[in-house]
Amino acid sequence: MELFGDTVEKVVNFYPKISILEEVVSECDYFRIVKNEQGYLAYCSVLRRILTISQTNNCAQFWSKCPMRVLAHGL
């Protein structure tokens, strides 16, 4: 698995049918794209987990209003 060109040696559980996507961009500071052998995964640093496709789409469109992002800025 690769995260911005670095190799990540961590086992991450996810459901491929709802998580594998084409590369998506979000302006959120906490959004990361992880590439694996099946495709791309979206990772949220605040939630510390892989996002589903629908959550990724919301993150890309409504990132500035995300309650998790607002919470992280308050910490």
Side-chain angles (χ1 to χ4, degrees):
M1 206 177 270
E2 291 181 38
L3 178 64
F4 293 105
D6 297 327
T7 301
V8 178
E9 297 297 330
K10 182 178 179 183
V11 176
V12 179
N13 295 324
F14 63 92
Y15 297 102
K17 289 186 178 184
I18 64 170
S19 297
I20 298 291
L21 44 101
E22 294 180 18
E23 193 169 2
V24 175
V25 177
S26 174
E27 295 184 41
C28 181
D29 299 335
Y30 304 103
F31 180 84
R32 303 286 182 262
I33 292 288
V34 180
K35 183 180 179 191
N36 74 0
E37 57 277 350
Q38 297 174 325
Y40 294 97
L41 300 167
Y43 181 82
C44 176
S45 299
V46 176
L47 297 175
R48 297 182 184 167
R49 69 174 178 82
I50 299 296
L51 301 177
T52 64
I53 293 169
S54 63
Q55 291 169 333
T56 301
N57 291 335
N58 284 336
C59 182
Q61 292 178 26
F62 309 111
W63 64 272
S64 64
K65 296 179 183 180
C66 175
M68 297 303 134
R69 183 176 177 276
V70 172
L71 223 141
H73 278 285
L75 297 177

